Amino acid sequence: MLLHNTANVCHSVCVTQQSSHGACPFAGGTRRPDEPYPGREALRAAGPVVVTEAPAGGPVAVVTTAALARAVLGDPRIVKDTALAPPDWEPRAAGLEPAAADALSLTTAEGEAHAALRRAHAPMLSPRRMRARQPLMRDTARELLAGLGDAADLTADFTTRYPLTVVGDLLGLPRTMIDDAVDACRRMFGDAADGAAAMGAFARLGAAALQHDGLARELRGRLPASVTDDEVHYLLFALIFAGQLTTDIALGFLLARVLVARDGAQRSSTRTGGPPADMPALVDDVLRRDPPAPFTLWRFTTEEVELAGVVLAPRTPVLVDLAGLADDPGAAAGSGLAFGAGPHVCAGIHLARAELAAAVEVLVADFPHARLAVPAADLRRVDPGGVEGSRLAALPVHGLRPRE
Ligand code: HEM
């Protein structure tokens, strides 16, 4: 799942082939956090559907408006089964999961098989249950931040570990295995051997969670007995990795937003106090401006499909440019399309919102002395390129001691 490792491929595409609209939406690089994604404005200007060169080769149709994105994400002729991907795409380099027939997965199943999987997951990740877990999430954030010492890089030491600890506690994973989860998630971005080792580690994490009380067992109990243990491990892997990958990135931008505001308030001698007045709005705004998934996952047309006057052949790869929609006046209020839409809308949306808000509340209320250790102007974000999300290179802080 989400085996995005396209940076090198994309780079070679972008330097050797200029796209028809004049900019490559899959380019990597380093930029200031408030600088827009390179190439996105030109892409939107080129129309609601732009056919360009995919990082793994061949054409990809990129959807650039919110209205068309919603239609595409609900269109049963545009599906996620990677069996329809171009046969010459190398799965790992292209960021492809196994085909739906080869691995039971929320992200590649369609129709009734997908709906049944969603029904099995939904009660575990409901808004009510996630809200009820928020005090525990706050305790986790407090404990992890307090354990870092006075100075730390929050992207290296907190933003990966915190969502993994939260989801691990939910699933029933022993805390002693969180280091393994951190290591496995990081290895997903390594070479093929790292990827294979990571998948082995995720299977062990899933098996361990099933030994304890928690949502992993609850999910097992909701699935038909015909679903094998290996298949359950893969479903648990999806929850662990999809949750870490995205929340990690979002947390970096969210904490940076709060710390930059705190620096500004200090310079202008205004009081910094409790959490921002409207925490859900702050979380949604950060997600809308900096969607952790810059594109949706791969989709493919099952037949000839016309989108905004552009005719796509069967099996054409399709992406929605989520990052480019930040300024689309047609995008929904709140987080916009950061969590996707339609049947495959993020299964962890309520968990993500609850854990992001909990972490910021704790930083603001319980660590009043925490400050950026570098000028805000020195913060940088790294775009790995391809369809991967960009994250802060570092978020160094000092004064990270709890309120006495
Ligand atoms: C800020 C955090 C998050 C963001 C921005 C985010 C974003 C997304 C997006 C855009 C999709 C849809 C992809 C597509 O349709 O192509 C998605 C799907 C998914 N997300 Fe999240 N996600 C976040 C957190 C989480 C968490 C915490 C979990 C763990 C429970 C999670 C689990 C999933 C799963 C399992 C899917 C597949 C759903 C399906 O295909 O039916 N996500 N997410």
Side-chain angles (χ1 to χ4, degrees):
M1 137 124 206
L2 310 180
L3 297 175
H4 298 336
N5 189 18
T6 50
N8 295 336
V9 184
C10 178
H11 179 69
S12 60
V13 168
C14 292
V15 295
T16 55
Q17 281 172 283
Q18 192 67 283
S19 319
S20 56
H21 49 85
C24 176
F26 306 114
T30 301
R31 59 197 161 98
R32 289 202 323 270
D34 55 347
E35 273 180 75
Y37 269 91
R40 294 303 218 278
E41 212 180 312
L43 196 72
R44 283 190 64 204
V49 180
V50 183
V51 178
T52 185
E53 175 84 15
V60 52
V62 183
V63 175
T64 68
T65 67
L68 191 60
R70 286 185 184 282
V72 162
L73 296 178
D75 190 327
R77 301 167 304 164
I78 304 176
V79 301
K80 298 182 74 180
D81 188 353
T82 56
L84 295 173
D88 58 336
W89 279 13
E90 199 280 304
R92 188 172 170 76
L96 292 177
E97 262 196 276
D102 297 332
L104 185 69
S105 170
L106 270 175
T107 51
T108 53
E110 295 290 349
E112 180 44 38
H114 177 252
L117 273 182
R118 291 288 301 216
R119 283 196 296 275
H121 283 75
M124 299 165 32
L125 298 165
S126 70
R128 189 181 54 79
R129 286 183 81 163
M130 294 304 103
R131 270 198 305 275
R133 291 291 293 211
Q134 256 189 326
L136 280 174
M137 295 175 192
R138 280 194 282 269
D139 289 348
T140 301
R142 203 174 292 116
E143 181 189 330
L144 292 181
L145 287 172
L148 293 180
D150 187 76
D153 170 3
L154 295 182
T155 60
D157 303 330
F158 180 68
T159 63
T160 306
R161 184 170 296 272
Y162 166 72
L164 284 172
T165 309
V166 168
V167 81
D169 286 353
L170 273 171
L171 293 176
L173 191 67
R175 281 271 177 115
T176 50
M177 296 188 82
I178 297 300
D179 281 347
D180 296 344
V182 170
D183 184 58
C185 287
R186 290 187 171 147
R187 279 177 174 235
M188 291 296 281
F189 299 97
D191 59 19
D194 274 328
M199 291 311 295
F202 280 119
R204 288 191 291 281
L205 295 170
L210 286 168
Q211 300 299 312
H212 299 86
D213 283 341
L215 296 190
R217 269 199 186 164
E218 190 176 322
L219 178 64
R220 164 79 277 185
R222 287 182 198 283
L223 293 164
S226 57
V227 175
T228 66
D229 279 355
D230 283 351
E231 287 174 322
V232 178
H233 298 164
Y234 193 77
L235 293 171
L236 295 173
F237 150 69
L239 295 179
I240 297 170
F241 187 52
Q244 179 275 321
L245 186 69
T246 45
T247 312
D248 184 339
I249 290 177
L251 202 48
F253 290 118
L254 194 52
L255 297 177
R257 175 90 74 99
V258 169
L259 290 164
V260 169
R262 188 177 269 181
D263 272 10
Q266 193 181 23
R267 271 197 305 279
S268 62
S269 312
T270 49
R271 201 176 67 84
T272 55
D278 189 346
M279 182 62 71
L282 174 70
V283 170
D284 275 354
D285 189 56
V286 169
L287 291 172
R288 189 175 62 83
R289 297 230 64 86
D290 289 305
F295 294 101
T296 50
L297 301 178
W298 291 108
R299 283 172 170 71
F300 308 94
T301 53
T302 54
E303 57 187 74
E304 187 176 280
V305 173
E306 185 186 323
L307 291 180
V310 179
V311 178
L312 306 179
R315 303 184 65 156
T316 301
V318 177
L319 291 174
V320 172
D321 176 19
L322 298 178
L325 296 178
D327 296 317
D328 187 327
S335 57
L337 284 166
F339 290 105
H344 286 280
V345 68
C346 179
I349 183 169
H350 307 297
L351 168 58
R353 285 195 168 122
E355 65 183 319
L356 288 170
V360 180
E361 281 163 14
V362 165
L363 181 79
V364 171
D366 298 345
F367 293 85
H369 312 291
R371 295 286 183 276
L372 278 178
V374 296
D378 289 356
L379 293 177
R380 287 293 176 273
R381 64 192 294 162
V382 179
D383 298 316
V387 289
E388 268 183 51
S390 75
R391 78 198 297 274
L392 283 178
L395 186 57
V397 294
H398 60 75
L400 201 56
R401 50 184 186 281
R403 182 190 293 280
E404 284 96 40

